[in-house]
């Protein structure tokens, strides 16, 4: 690999559905190299944390250690901090 000053891109198309690739876009399933309709940056778009909806539905487990230390709310996959 050589530094070009541009982000790494991979070809994308609907032919990639169901295939398995490594982080560099190389096939791991024994299939041919992908031929894409477009090329996309492997870094993707950054996530805007302020765009998330504020969690409001508290889930009470009845176990004080969980309820006090790890506040659980509906709609989130990880515990939120107070």
């Amino acid at each position: 690999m050589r530094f070009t000053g541009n982000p790494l891109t991979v070809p994308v198309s609907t032919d990639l559905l169901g295939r398995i690739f490594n982080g560099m876009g190389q096939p791991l399933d024994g299939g041919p190299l992908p031929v894409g309709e477009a090329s996309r940056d492997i870094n993707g778009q950054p996530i805007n944390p302020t765009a998330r909806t504020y969690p409001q539905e508290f889930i009470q487990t009845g176990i004080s250690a969980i309820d006090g230390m790890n506040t659980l709310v509906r709609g989130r996959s990880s515990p939120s901090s107070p």
Side-chain angles (χ1 to χ4, degrees):
M1 179 165 287
R2 192 172 137 179
F3 180 71
T4 63
N6 296 318
L8 182 64
T9 59
V10 293
V12 294
S13 72
T14 55
D15 295 335
L16 303 180
L17 295 174
R19 303 272 316 268
I20 301 171
F21 298 93
N22 66 11
M24 299 285 292
Q26 300 164 336
L28 296 176
D29 58 4
L33 287 172
V35 177
E37 300 164 358
S39 188
R40 298 284 188 254
D41 180 0
I42 66 164
N43 296 314
Q45 297 295 321
I47 297 171
N48 181 358
T50 61
R52 296 180 92 183
T53 58
Y54 189 77
Q56 303 210 0
E57 292 184 54
F58 171 68
I59 300 173
Q60 187 171 3
T61 65
I63 302 169
S64 59
I66 294 174
D67 291 341
M69 301 295 282
N70 297 317
T71 306
L72 302 175
V73 291
R74 190 170 311 283
R76 300 230 5 212
S77 59
S78 61
S80 66
S81 40

